Amino acid sequence: MMDFLLGGLTPSAFVHDPLMAGAGYAMVGALVLAAVGLTYFKRWKWLWKWMTSLDPKKIGVMYIVVAVIMLLRGLADVLLIRTQQATSVGNSQGILSSDHFQQIFSAHGTIMIFFVAMGIIFGVLNLIVPQQIGARDVAFPFMNSVSFWLFAVGMLLINAPLVVGEFAATGWLAYPPLSELQYSPGVGVDYWIWSLQIAGIGSLMSGINFFVTIIKKRAPGMTLMKMPVFIWSVLCSMSLVMFAFPILTGTLGMLSLDRLMGMHFFTSGGGGNPMMYINLIWAWGHPEVYILVLPAFGIFSEIVPVFSGKKLFGYTSMVVALIAITILSFTVWLHHFFTMGAGADVNTFFGIMTMVIAIPTGVKVFNWIFTMYRGRIRFTTPMLWFMGFVTTFTIGGMTGVLMSVPAADFQFHNSLFLVAHFHNMIIGGVVFGAFAAFTYWFPKFTGFTLNERLGRYAFWLWLVGFLLAFIPLYILGFMGATRRLDHYDASLGWQGLFIVAGIGALLICAGVAMQLLQVTVSIIKRKENMVGTDPWNGRTLEWATATPPPEYNFATILVVSTRDAFWEMKKNKVVSEPTYESISIPKNSGLGVIIGLFALLVGFGLIWHIFWLALVGLVGVIIVLIIRLTSDDNDEVISAHEVRMIETAGGGA
Amino acid sequence: MATDMKRVGQESSTKTLGFWIYIMTDCVLFATLFATYAVLHGNTFGGPSSRQLFDLPYVFIETFLLLTSSFTIGMAVLSARAGYKSRTIGWLVVTFILGLSFVTMELTEFAHLVADGNSWQRSGFLSAFFTLVGTHGAHISVGLLWMIVMMIRIAKGGLKSMDVGRLALLGLFWHFLDIIWICIFTIVYLMGVL
Amino acid sequence: MATSTHKHRTLLKKVILSLIALIALSGIFVVLMNGHNLAVLAPAGLIASKEKTLIIITTLLGLFVVIPVFILLFSIAWKYREGNSKATYTPDVGSNRLLEGLWWGIPATIIVILGIITWQSTHELDPYKAISSTTKALNVQVVSLQWKWLFIYPDLGVASLNYLPIPEKTPIHFDITSDAPMNSFWIPNLGGQVYAMSGMSTQLQLMADGVGTYRGSSANISGEGFAGMTFNVESMTNTNFNNWVKTAKQSADTLGDVTYTALALPSKDMPPKNYGSVASGLYNNIIMKYMMPDDGSGISM
């Protein structure tokens, strides 16, 4: 009976070593504290309004809040990893057991990719895409809310092992047979599977949503070749989501069938084929890298022209390059395992395809640089992040090309050289891009800019910290240091470099602290940094809305006739006579949150083999979906009069 | 009023595009399962191979049921567009019965295999087989659930334009599942036996 | 105007300071590396030295693009900074066919060159391709276990655990499999790695130039004891190697189905050990047990 009720869940599952328990209970404590605060300040209703909102701007903010919290979690993991590797030498075993260490780096990778990078990207998309295409909303506002709540539930599940159970100790991609029941009998891998499965389905829905939004909701006159390059980058990135994420869903599904039902997809023995998993996971995984980095390219394609006071150089080749990268990114997955022993012909093909991607990427870098040529460049923080991006990304690109040559890759694969390379691409590309975007678009939603001086400090801390953290890893790779080692021999002489890398990680943490300080100071002293609706002399339509933008973004739908539509409007002094009309917007809906909760039950039930709970969750999801899909009254109308009131009160400038 | 009509039209074309893209993503999911099936087809681990297991005439009846249901749901959509309420429901009932028979036959086939000791645990090949065919069956079941909801709505509220649109999407979904089944029939059963 | 020159000066100061910091940093790295084995760049074998050459050529080709990018980036950023009102300003120039053609063309040309190098090197350094040598190759069968390495010398009838003695200047033909989660077999001083997977056999060819001891390890995580899966490769003269084989043959430890099954159980940080004899067909049995259900004979899972 207890087995039926509680599955594999026993009291001992709540027992952890002090370090993990500390982290877990700190998180629970923070939640309790938040709950107390909400009650004390009577803010529950306010919170519920946020949680149930279908306004992409609010959803975008929620994505970013989650991503920032997860960034802190991921950084805490980094500090543990770095401490372990700097101290666990020779006779010393460091601060962590091997199993715990392996759980931590697995969590670090998974969290940073799925819940930080993806969170930031979808946050930015929600905030910017509708406004930049001159639309009032995304194509499917309710689905957008569901996407977010599935993402949030994935986030809960990946942090739950801090309190109950354990996390996967198999690396962020959980290669079988290690991740199969035979070698990982605990719940760790199941947490990994269901966290990603649920969040991944959310991402897939977001992908469809933004793709359709861009295709269908653009302002009249904005033809494809008049779209801002950021929108192009999102369109490409979302098509990658549409093609790549179903592969992830299928692959995770098969792995969980192996673990739950004793199937033999990827087991060693029983007729399973672990290599199939590795192929499939990278058929998703490589496009995933571009899903993250293409929007970052798009962000820089917006920032460089604005701060150079000049048109983007080579718009057409930028678009062609984006499309080329999108298509090519599906033809290179095998370069993640040249060492599997495929023949020389196969390896050559995938090696060359990988190098070919360097061409359109290089074109983009040259175009950005030539956008600056004969411009008037203002070196505000977003531009600093751009300079940092080109510097680090170019180095990362070079080490990437180095590893795309199969025979050379045999010496780099799974070494710390590889670890340094992909951090070079993800931090230099995605993270720096996200920070540039944050500084650039922050005043759009708040009316004041971020403190410039603290922003610069943060940038330099990040850049120097980055170099200190990862140059040693490149060198360690040459010394034969493989990734994921919880211990090594003192005679190898690696310790000094690991310590330097640890100092680098500390500097990066200081950079993050500086950014938190920057936001706090900027909010406190916001009066000093008040700006109008167009603080940077922007070029695209998001700067044409009020600040902060009203829920419907645009009172009057703008008609576009050129690229850089807002720039042209300013230049030609187009003042559209406001004719207010009634606007229909989606009502708040709590059903997204409820679907998320039921999905949580499904995930938790399957992880702990509490099958009745999973069934309740599944039936719940289906019923809520039927309720929502069969209801016809989901919109509310803001009358023309109210729109006029909002527009004139908000300055409407 | 004219702009309102335009808005509704735009909204439905947005939904249709969204649905087409969903179908495309589902195709990718099935492609993943097909690829895995192809790779694991020979991995019988000493167990029975596809040649020893599959009963073509039986599967042929399943195929026939599903193909017919694709025709009948097309009739339902046409009737709905023409505004014949009871005829729409009638065709939906026929489609539902055909679909349900299909699922029942599939489950019977599965039950026989398991009873003979050839469950999904037997070999990589059988894991891939049950998962691929079962995923299609699960989709059909979702379609049946959707059909029930549509029948209730149409019976209660008549043929509102929103519901006609939804029915058209259901038709699209059903045809898509038919195409997937034809692939399964060809790749799994026909090529498995020949 | 005064503020702008002031700005330049502080900027210049910053640039100089960062350059000094960079040099100091490189100094630290050189000190830290000094005297330690930079395995990939210090090849002690034919394959590793060819791979090193390849790495250097590829790096130089990469720098051919990277250096101009850096020069362009910083010089343009400097020249067209807002404070420099003398610089030309053309806000509406958005394209130039010639220039764009140039930077589609230059990287493409480099990639063509690199592609040819890749084609040639991938075939030449294919881990399955036998090394041509006048000396006959020595066969070694490698089995990765939880968490140790077993090396079987099928032609010599001996085996060793976590220790790989090889004769110098002799091509070594490795057949590699796993009786554990996937590992990767890597001896950076001698050449690149190949995966060790259960139910499969991969190959690798290496050859040591001379006498020496090199570190080998697993490059792919395989569970709790993975970090301890290191071993020493000892390249020795033919005489010494033959002596080792003689000593090994005298070892009381033998490797049959039963002893192997016991050995395959998870264990960490095992000391090196020799086996005087090995059951014939052991390597194939290890592979086959993942291909067919256990029929009661032979080694069990």
Side-chain angles (χ1 to χ4, degrees), chain A residues 615-631:
Chain A
L615 193 67
V616 168
L618 185 66
V619 172
V621 169
I622 292 171
I623 291 175
V624 177
L625 275 179
I626 291 177
I627 292 174
R628 171 72 193 191
L629 292 174
T630 54
S631 80

mmCIF file of all heavy atoms in Angstrom, chain A residues 615-631:
data_model
loop_
_atom_site.group_PDB
_atom_site.id
_atom_site.type_symbol
_atom_site.label_atom_id
_atom_site.label_comp_id
_atom_site.label_asym_id
_atom_site.label_seq_id
_atom_site.Cartn_x
_atom_site.Cartn_y
_atom_site.Cartn_z
ATOM 1 N N LEU A 615 -0.936 10.025 -13.046
ATOM 2 C CA LEU A 615 -2.195 9.899 -13.785
ATOM 3 C C LEU A 615 -3.118 11.076 -13.469
ATOM 4 O O LEU A 615 -3.726 11.661 -14.374
ATOM 5 C CB LEU A 615 -2.867 8.570 -13.418
ATOM 6 C CG LEU A 615 -4.005 8.179 -14.344
ATOM 7 C CD1 LEU A 615 -3.470 7.858 -15.733
ATOM 8 C CD2 LEU A 615 -4.779 7.000 -13.779
ATOM 9 N N VAL A 616 -3.190 11.429 -12.180
ATOM 10 C CA VAL A 616 -3.996 12.596 -11.793
ATOM 11 C C VAL A 616 -3.519 13.824 -12.558
ATOM 12 O O VAL A 616 -4.307 14.583 -13.130
ATOM 13 C CB VAL A 616 -3.892 12.842 -10.267
ATOM 14 C CG1 VAL A 616 -4.479 14.198 -9.901
ATOM 15 C CG2 VAL A 616 -4.595 11.730 -9.505
ATOM 16 N N GLY A 617 -2.198 13.987 -12.595
ATOM 17 C CA GLY A 617 -1.634 15.138 -13.298
ATOM 18 C C GLY A 617 -2.008 15.135 -14.767
ATOM 19 O O GLY A 617 -2.445 16.152 -15.321
ATOM 20 N N LEU A 618 -1.875 13.974 -15.403
ATOM 21 C CA LEU A 618 -2.153 13.886 -16.839
ATOM 22 C C LEU A 618 -3.614 14.199 -17.138
ATOM 23 O O LEU A 618 -3.932 15.004 -18.025
ATOM 24 C CB LEU A 618 -1.795 12.482 -17.342
ATOM 25 C CG LEU A 618 -1.935 12.288 -18.841
ATOM 26 C CD1 LEU A 618 -0.909 13.141 -19.571
ATOM 27 C CD2 LEU A 618 -1.753 10.827 -19.219
ATOM 28 N N VAL A 619 -4.511 13.575 -16.356
ATOM 29 C CA VAL A 619 -5.942 13.827 -16.561
ATOM 30 C C VAL A 619 -6.231 15.313 -16.316
ATOM 31 O O VAL A 619 -6.978 15.947 -17.063
ATOM 32 C CB VAL A 619 -6.787 12.923 -15.631
ATOM 33 C CG1 VAL A 619 -8.246 13.313 -15.697
ATOM 34 C CG2 VAL A 619 -6.596 11.472 -16.013
ATOM 35 N N GLY A 620 -5.591 15.862 -15.284
ATOM 36 C CA GLY A 620 -5.764 17.287 -14.990
ATOM 37 C C GLY A 620 -5.384 18.162 -16.174
ATOM 38 O O GLY A 620 -6.134 19.046 -16.581
ATOM 39 N N VAL A 621 -4.214 17.885 -16.741
ATOM 40 C CA VAL A 621 -3.761 18.684 -17.887
ATOM 41 C C VAL A 621 -4.795 18.610 -19.002
ATOM 42 O O VAL A 621 -5.194 19.629 -19.587
ATOM 43 C CB VAL A 621 -2.379 18.189 -18.391
ATOM 44 C CG1 VAL A 621 -2.037 18.829 -19.724
ATOM 45 C CG2 VAL A 621 -1.302 18.482 -17.366
ATOM 46 N N ILE A 622 -5.283 17.384 -19.289
ATOM 47 C CA ILE A 622 -6.219 17.206 -20.403
ATOM 48 C C ILE A 622 -7.515 17.979 -20.137
ATOM 49 O O ILE A 622 -8.007 18.707 -21.012
ATOM 50 C CB ILE A 622 -6.508 15.702 -20.623
ATOM 51 C CG1 ILE A 622 -5.237 15.018 -21.134
ATOM 52 C CG2 ILE A 622 -7.650 15.504 -21.615
ATOM 53 C CD1 ILE A 622 -5.330 13.519 -21.190
ATOM 54 N N ILE A 623 -8.025 17.855 -18.912
ATOM 55 C CA ILE A 623 -9.291 18.532 -18.611
ATOM 56 C C ILE A 623 -9.140 20.055 -18.726
ATOM 57 O O ILE A 623 -9.964 20.733 -19.349
ATOM 58 C CB ILE A 623 -9.786 18.136 -17.203
ATOM 59 C CG1 ILE A 623 -10.221 16.664 -17.224
ATOM 60 C CG2 ILE A 623 -10.939 19.025 -16.754
ATOM 61 C CD1 ILE A 623 -10.626 16.126 -15.875
ATOM 62 N N VAL A 624 -8.050 20.578 -18.154
ATOM 63 C CA VAL A 624 -7.857 22.035 -18.226
ATOM 64 C C VAL A 624 -7.738 22.485 -19.679
ATOM 65 O O VAL A 624 -8.294 23.508 -20.076
ATOM 66 C CB VAL A 624 -6.615 22.453 -17.417
ATOM 67 C CG1 VAL A 624 -6.376 23.940 -17.566
ATOM 68 C CG2 VAL A 624 -6.786 22.095 -15.959
ATOM 69 N N LEU A 625 -7.029 21.689 -20.482
ATOM 70 C CA LEU A 625 -6.891 22.057 -21.891
ATOM 71 C C LEU A 625 -8.255 22.092 -22.574
ATOM 72 O O LEU A 625 -8.548 23.013 -23.346
ATOM 73 C CB LEU A 625 -5.979 21.059 -22.610
ATOM 74 C CG LEU A 625 -4.488 21.347 -22.514
ATOM 75 C CD1 LEU A 625 -3.699 20.274 -23.246
ATOM 76 C CD2 LEU A 625 -4.170 22.725 -23.095
ATOM 77 N N ILE A 626 -9.082 21.076 -22.283
ATOM 78 C CA ILE A 626 -10.413 21.052 -22.917
ATOM 79 C C ILE A 626 -11.217 22.280 -22.478
ATOM 80 O O ILE A 626 -11.850 22.948 -23.303
ATOM 81 C CB ILE A 626 -11.154 19.743 -22.559
ATOM 82 C CG1 ILE A 626 -10.451 18.559 -23.245
ATOM 83 C CG2 ILE A 626 -12.620 19.806 -23.016
ATOM 84 C CD1 ILE A 626 -11.045 17.214 -22.913
ATOM 85 N N ILE A 627 -11.131 22.599 -21.176
ATOM 86 C CA ILE A 627 -11.869 23.769 -20.687
ATOM 87 C C ILE A 627 -11.448 25.021 -21.454
ATOM 88 O O ILE A 627 -12.259 25.794 -21.951
ATOM 89 C CB ILE A 627 -11.625 23.971 -19.176
ATOM 90 C CG1 ILE A 627 -12.271 22.831 -18.388
ATOM 91 C CG2 ILE A 627 -12.154 25.325 -18.704
ATOM 92 C CD1 ILE A 627 -11.953 22.865 -16.905
ATOM 93 N N ARG A 628 -10.124 25.190 -21.591
ATOM 94 C CA ARG A 628 -9.637 26.408 -22.230
ATOM 95 C C ARG A 628 -9.991 26.426 -23.721
ATOM 96 O O ARG A 628 -10.456 27.431 -24.248
ATOM 97 C CB ARG A 628 -8.122 26.500 -22.050
ATOM 98 C CG ARG A 628 -7.463 27.608 -22.837
ATOM 99 C CD ARG A 628 -7.790 28.978 -22.254
ATOM 100 N NE ARG A 628 -7.418 30.040 -23.189
ATOM 101 C CZ ARG A 628 -7.387 31.324 -22.860
ATOM 102 N NH1 ARG A 628 -7.701 31.710 -21.634
ATOM 103 N NH2 ARG A 628 -7.062 32.244 -23.742
ATOM 104 N N LEU A 629 -9.787 25.283 -24.370
ATOM 105 C CA LEU A 629 -9.961 25.280 -25.822
ATOM 106 C C LEU A 629 -11.425 25.395 -26.219
ATOM 107 O O LEU A 629 -11.741 25.754 -27.352
ATOM 108 C CB LEU A 629 -9.343 24.013 -26.426
ATOM 109 C CG LEU A 629 -7.814 23.977 -26.333
ATOM 110 C CD1 LEU A 629 -7.275 22.638 -26.816
ATOM 111 C CD2 LEU A 629 -7.194 25.107 -27.141
ATOM 112 N N THR A 630 -12.328 25.054 -25.293
ATOM 113 C CA THR A 630 -13.729 25.148 -25.667
ATOM 114 C C THR A 630 -14.385 26.421 -25.136
ATOM 115 O O THR A 630 -15.582 26.598 -25.274
ATOM 116 C CB THR A 630 -14.531 23.951 -25.135
ATOM 117 O OG1 THR A 630 -14.300 23.860 -23.728
ATOM 118 C CG2 THR A 630 -14.107 22.668 -25.810
ATOM 119 N N SER A 631 -13.594 27.292 -24.481
ATOM 120 C CA SER A 631 -14.227 28.530 -24.018
ATOM 121 C C SER A 631 -14.055 29.598 -25.100
ATOM 122 O O SER A 631 -13.007 29.700 -25.724
ATOM 123 C CB SER A 631 -13.616 28.970 -22.703
ATOM 124 O OG SER A 631 -12.398 29.611 -22.947
#
